[in-house]
Amino acid sequence: MPDTSSVDHLVRLLRLFTMETERYISAFGTDNEMHRTDLNALGAIMEAGQSGDAMTPGRLSRRLQLSAPATSALLDRLESAGHVRRVRSTVDRRRVDLELTDTALDVGRALFAPLAKHLRPAIERYPAEQRALVAEFLTEVAAATRAAADGSTDATATKPRK
């Protein structure tokens, strides 16, 4: 029986969760005739909007690790499908911001509602203080994963709990 509290076991479970999430999103993309990159872009734009940050083509390019021409082709595809609008920034008229349309939000709901339906009961089994600890853990894991993807050599970028 594995030591369920070991770091290696937790890393394995995170890898399993990531693989299952990838499989779920891939199936959704196939069913809806959308490229994985399209779904990643919509997710990145949505996340930026929810955190109050404007998403620009340049930021999206860096976030998805795409070249400028590939990002332009991606945005052209999303714009022609009615998922994204390019609008002049209200802060800096030289900048172009990306906005999701209602169509894109419908795609997001169709993608995440079934997942949330299945995740919610698993999450609700735990008391609020344990969910807060899990939220802190996942926030730090996401930051560590982002640091690894960005090529950071500092493996202690996130501060461990005491």
Side-chain angles (χ1 to χ4, degrees):
M1 177 128 165
D3 174 5
T4 59
S5 66
S6 78
V7 171
D8 289 341
H9 184 71
L10 290 175
V11 168
R12 183 181 153 273
L13 290 174
L14 286 169
R15 186 175 58 241
L16 178 62
F17 175 73
T18 300
M19 288 171 24
E20 291 301 331
T21 303
E22 288 293 324
R23 190 170 71 89
Y24 175 82
I25 293 172
S26 179
F28 179 88
T30 299
D31 291 346
N32 290 276
E33 299 178 356
M34 293 185 74
H35 297 275
R36 176 57 198 228
T37 307
D38 296 355
L39 293 169
N40 287 343
L42 295 178
I45 297 166
M46 185 179 298
E47 180 60 33
Q50 289 173 339
S51 63
D53 296 330
M55 180 60 76
T56 65
R59 279 188 66 210
L60 184 64
S61 180
R62 288 187 298 280
R63 178 77 170 100
L64 299 180
Q65 297 179 324
L66 296 174
S67 66
T71 301
S72 290
L74 166 68
L75 290 173
D76 289 345
R77 193 168 58 243
L78 291 174
E79 199 168 37
S80 69
H83 295 301
V84 172
R85 280 187 300 270
R86 296 179 229 208
V87 298
R88 288 277 165 213
S89 168
T90 57
V91 177
D92 179 350
R93 300 291 297 161
R94 296 170 295 175
R95 188 177 80 195
V96 172
D97 292 337
L98 303 173
E99 290 182 354
L100 295 179
T101 65
D102 289 341
T103 302
L105 296 175
D106 289 343
V107 168
R109 280 188 283 279
L111 172 60
F112 292 113
L115 185 58
K117 176 183 173 187
H118 287 82
L119 289 175
R120 189 172 301 284
I123 294 168
E124 288 174 342
R125 289 186 34 212
Y126 297 89
E129 56 275 353
Q130 287 183 338
R131 291 194 309 261
L133 178 62
V134 170
E136 181 181 349
F137 170 76
L138 291 174
T139 299
E140 291 181 15
V141 165
T145 303
R146 193 174 311 107
D150 292 343
S152 173
T153 57
D154 181 8
T156 61
T158 59
K159 297 176 185 161
R161 284 181 54 86
K162 292 183 181 179

